Amino acid sequence: MYRNQIKKKERKNEKKTLKTIFGFFLLGNSIFLFLSFFSFLFHWKHDQSQLEKLFDKEIIAENLLGKMGATVSHCFIHCGIGVSAFFIPILLFLKGLKILFSEKEFFNDFYQSTIYKFLFFIVWLPIFFSVIVPHQGIFSGIFGFEIGNYLIHLFGKVGLYMLLLTSIIFYWIIIFRINASTIKNGMKKKIQNINKKIETTLQLCNYFDNNPEMDSSFRKGKKMLYSILYKKKEDFSSIDLKIDLESNKKKIIQILNHYHIEICEIKANIGPTITLYEIYPKVGTRISKIKNLKNEIALNLSALSIRIIAPIPGKGSIGIEIPNYKRYPVYMKDILFSEESHKKSHNMELPISLGKTVFNEIFIVDLAKMPHLLIAGSTGQGKSVGLNVMIVFLLYQKHPKDIKFILIDPKKVELSIYKKISKSYFATLPNSIEPIITDLHKVKNILNSLCKEMDQRYALFEKYKVRNIKEYNNVIKKYNKYHLPYIILIVDEFADLNMNHKKKQIEIYITRLAQLARAVGIHLIIATQRPSVDVITGLIKSNFTARIAFRVSSKIDSRTILDCTGAEQLIGKGDMLFSNRNELIRLQCPFMELSDIQKIVDFYGNNNKKHEYFFLPEPGIINENE
């Protein structure tokens, strides 16, 4: 028995050796043919004129591969299929790769999908060239010339043109699976886009009629921002994606079949960072069986990490999130200037964009409705970029009279870039020198003052018998009273505030604002890279129902921020989970370079010089023993 096993191994090794030799043989031949064909295009006249004497010692061939190259090229190109002969070395090269890397599913799928496309053009191109350039035999070869003449005899020249045109149309229909519904949907989308543009133009016109001071600056701003944020998009190869998708689908089905799990259907939704594979299991299949195969599926797909959603809320399917082989960046330009973004944010009070979903849809939420946001994530996972994206989106959407920021930056470097717009867009303490709070001892003063502003606003609402800031601003138009802006408090590193000896006092202010400030238009965005229970306490969590988790180091950190695991399985660079009232959504945050942010801040700083600081009330007496 042991000898039989040795013999089997030897036979296996022999087969592998022969396979390798044959693979490299095909690769070598493909290179030989390609170089000889390429050289033939330049030297065919000289070599062909003395073809009969070509093997005489005195005759020297000009072909790069010598006399053999000239002869082979003559047979394949002139006597054969013209320039379509170049497909032969390409097919041989792909076949060689397929043999050498037969274990790799990618090469098998790519070869099968490519060979049929090449075979069509091997026949179609010679006939096409025989009609277009009939006197240039090098393009069509004898094959194309003879077949072309025969078809002209049958159908006439016009008939042959029609035949070539219809055949290429049929080819594209089959390859790209075009049907009546896709054409109809394409036309519908074009009509919808035109209608959206008309609707947007009308809305902007109405907006400018009501706000004449915004007309020139807004249009100029949009154009300026577009030029600042423009980035050349990376090519999104649909062929590569299709191959990857089909390969991964096969592997998922293979591993499920191995463990006797039957499924009805599998679908794929491609996002910028990950692809979501939706599995529809047969009735009676236990979900836990699929969840327990997480590591086996990751191993079979050679994935860094996968996330299983079992089941997907609101659907009769199980989701498997697999990182894309190649990530496609989300550009801030595409978020800001898209029709989808305008439509979603049009009726929102404080729209902020968080990026794109796994379905490649722009995701925008209204901070006024959340009403506060808690953000956590390890260093370098995209937390600061996410804050910058939110600020820039609000700057673009809102006029300085409608929105004011309070920025607390204990690290002193992350938010300092916004100093130039502080006069127009910041709320600050009277006689304050630094608009961005970096001194931890001054944090309690700004929070105390903000609480006082909240109380004063509630007194105003009581006087005018309104319930919230929106109703108040609508009512006071009649009395020509002061318009109240929304105030957004942003803390970049909340954990650093908690290290201060005034920790308890700061937590009391934050909790009070989180509980009561929504109605008066004060909203909080708090970020930390240390989502531990001593930083994000139960009291803080209960008042921040909307949360964002970038990649964290452990399941414990994920549970602390989201009340569930999953954030430890994210793949970084802006990959995040957004949780709001039991809804968990995976998103890819847009990326913005620091130089782009600086240009945007410079623009808004230069174009809003006429606006003054929004001063908060003087802080009240603070009990230092609290």
Side-chain angles (χ1 to χ4, degrees), residues 50-63:
Q50 45 190 4
L51 194 65
E52 292 176 2
K53 302 176 185 178
L54 196 62
F55 286 91
D56 288 354
K57 289 181 180 179
E58 297 174 1
I59 303 298
I60 297 170
E62 290 187 3
N63 193 289

Side-chain angles (χ1 to χ4, degrees), residues 255 259 288-308 320 555 569:
I255 197 78
Y259 288 95
S288 59
K289 283 182 77 177
I290 298 174
K291 285 179 80 173
N292 293 335
L293 293 175
K294 180 183 157 186
N295 293 332
E296 285 79 2
I297 294 169
L299 179 68
N300 207 35
L301 295 170
S302 306
L304 289 172
S305 66
I306 69 167
R307 183 168 164 265
I308 294 180
I320 302 176
K555 288 182 180 180
Q569 296 170 335

Side-chain angles (χ1 to χ4, degrees), residues 133-277:
V133 279
H135 303 298
Q136 296 291 330
I138 193 171
F139 286 102
S140 63
I142 291 172
F143 170 82
F145 181 77
E146 293 294 338
I147 298 292
N149 280 342
Y150 180 70
L151 291 172
I152 288 170
H153 178 71
L154 283 178
F155 300 104
K157 259 200 172 182
V158 176
L160 182 54
Y161 285 135
M162 290 172 67
L163 185 65
L164 288 168
L165 181 64
T166 51
S167 61
I168 197 72
I169 289 169
F170 287 147
Y171 171 79
W172 292 119
I173 288 170
I174 293 164
I175 292 297
F176 294 106
R177 297 178 182 178
I178 300 167
N179 53 46
S181 62
T182 55
I183 295 167
K184 192 177 177 182
N185 290 337
M187 292 296 289
K188 270 186 181 178
K189 279 183 182 177
K190 282 190 176 182
I191 293 164
Q192 283 172 0
N193 287 336
I194 292 165
N195 290 336
K196 278 180 185 176
K197 284 178 182 177
I198 294 166
E199 185 184 341
T200 305
T201 307
L202 290 171
Q203 286 168 351
L204 287 173
C205 289
N206 291 333
Y207 181 75
F208 293 139
D209 288 341
N210 297 327
N211 301 275
E213 76 283 357
M214 288 283 286
D215 193 350
S216 60
S217 63
F218 186 86
R219 290 180 196 276
K220 185 183 175 185
K222 187 165 184 176
K223 190 177 179 182
M224 176 70 176
L225 281 178
Y226 190 89
S227 63
I228 289 170
L229 295 172
Y230 176 77
K231 292 284 183 296
K232 188 178 178 182
K233 284 190 178 182
E234 291 183 23
D235 289 333
F236 201 36
S237 174
S238 58
I239 295 171
D240 290 347
L241 274 175
K242 189 178 176 184
I243 291 165
D244 288 341
L245 286 179
E246 293 306 316
S247 174
N248 284 344
K249 279 181 182 178
K250 283 179 185 176
K251 287 175 181 176
I252 291 168
I253 292 167
Q254 185 183 25
I255 197 78
L256 292 176
N257 286 341
H258 182 76
Y259 288 95
H260 309 293
I261 297 169
E262 293 184 87
I263 61 170
C264 303
E265 190 182 2
I266 182 168
K267 293 179 181 178
N269 299 293
I270 305 162
T273 307
I274 59 132
T275 297
L276 173 66
Y277 293 86

Side-chain angles (χ1 to χ4, degrees), residues 277-293:
Y277 293 86
E278 285 188 75
I279 295 168
Y280 293 82
K282 285 194 174 179
V283 178
T285 303
R286 293 183 67 180
I287 291 173
S288 59
K289 283 182 77 177
I290 298 174
K291 285 179 80 173
N292 293 335
L293 293 175

Side-chain angles (χ1 to χ4, degrees), residues 425-593:
Y425 285 97
F426 279 30
T428 186
L429 292 171
N431 306 315
S432 177
I433 301 168
E434 287 295 327
I436 297 172
I437 312 300
T438 55
D439 186 351
L440 295 178
H441 296 287
K442 293 180 181 177
V443 172
K444 63 181 186 306
N445 288 331
I446 196 83
L447 293 177
N448 179 287
S449 180
L450 196 55
C451 287
K452 203 169 178 183
E453 171 74 16
M454 177 181 73
D455 293 336
Q456 287 180 5
R457 288 189 175 195
Y458 270 118
L460 274 174
F461 291 2
E462 187 181 8
K463 180 182 176 182
Y464 288 95
K465 295 182 173 53
V466 294
R467 293 170 299 173
N468 55 53
I469 187 172
K470 193 175 180 182
E471 287 182 12
Y472 173 80
N473 284 331
N474 287 332
V475 167
I476 53 96
K477 283 179 184 176
K478 303 172 188 176
Y479 305 101
N480 293 321
K481 296 286 184 180
Y482 184 72
H483 175 90
L484 287 180
Y486 284 93
I487 299 175
I488 300 171
L489 170 69
I490 297 177
V491 182
D492 185 47
E493 187 42 75
F494 186 60
D496 287 355
L497 301 187
N498 278 2
M499 290 171 68
N500 191 1
H501 68 284
K502 303 295 180 197
K503 172 185 173 181
K504 186 67 179 173
Q505 204 172 64
I506 287 169
E507 190 177 337
I508 289 168
Y509 286 137
I510 292 287
T511 305
R512 187 161 185 263
L513 288 167
Q515 288 173 338
L516 302 170
R518 173 185 181 173
V520 297
I522 298 173
H523 302 276
L524 283 60
I525 299 176
I526 292 176
T528 182
Q529 64 182 19
R530 201 153 52 83
S532 54
V533 288
D534 60 323
V535 175
I536 304 173
T537 63
L539 199 58
I540 294 286
K541 281 176 71 175
S542 63
N543 290 291
F544 285 78
T545 55
R547 302 168 202 163
I548 288 174
F550 290 90
R551 188 180 181 181
V552 293
S553 56
S554 67
K555 288 182 180 180
I556 296 167
D557 288 348
S558 180
R559 285 196 187 99
T560 303
I561 182 69
L562 296 175
D563 295 325
C564 66
T565 60
E568 78 284 356
Q569 296 170 335
L570 299 174
I571 56 175
K573 295 183 180 178
D575 187 20
M576 65 179 180
L577 290 170
F578 172 69
S579 170
N580 191 21
R581 296 179 177 87
N582 300 321
E583 184 183 27
L584 195 65
I585 300 166
R586 192 167 184 176
L587 303 163
Q588 175 60 44
C589 178
F591 176 72
M592 289 187 72
E593 292 179 3

Side-chain angles (χ1 to χ4, degrees), residues 67-115:
K67 295 176 181 179
M68 186 60 74
T71 308
V72 170
S73 301
H74 174 77
C75 294
F76 276 99
I77 296 177
H78 179 76
C79 300
I81 53 177
V83 290
S84 291
F86 277 94
F87 288 118
I88 294 168
I90 295 169
L91 285 172
L92 288 176
F93 188 81
L94 292 173
K95 183 66 178 176
L97 289 177
K98 183 179 181 291
I99 290 167
L100 290 171
F101 302 100
S102 57
E103 292 176 3
K104 299 282 183 184
E105 199 96 15
F106 168 81
F107 289 107
N108 295 333
D109 293 341
F110 184 73
Y111 181 77
Q112 286 171 6
S113 64
T114 305
I115 190 167

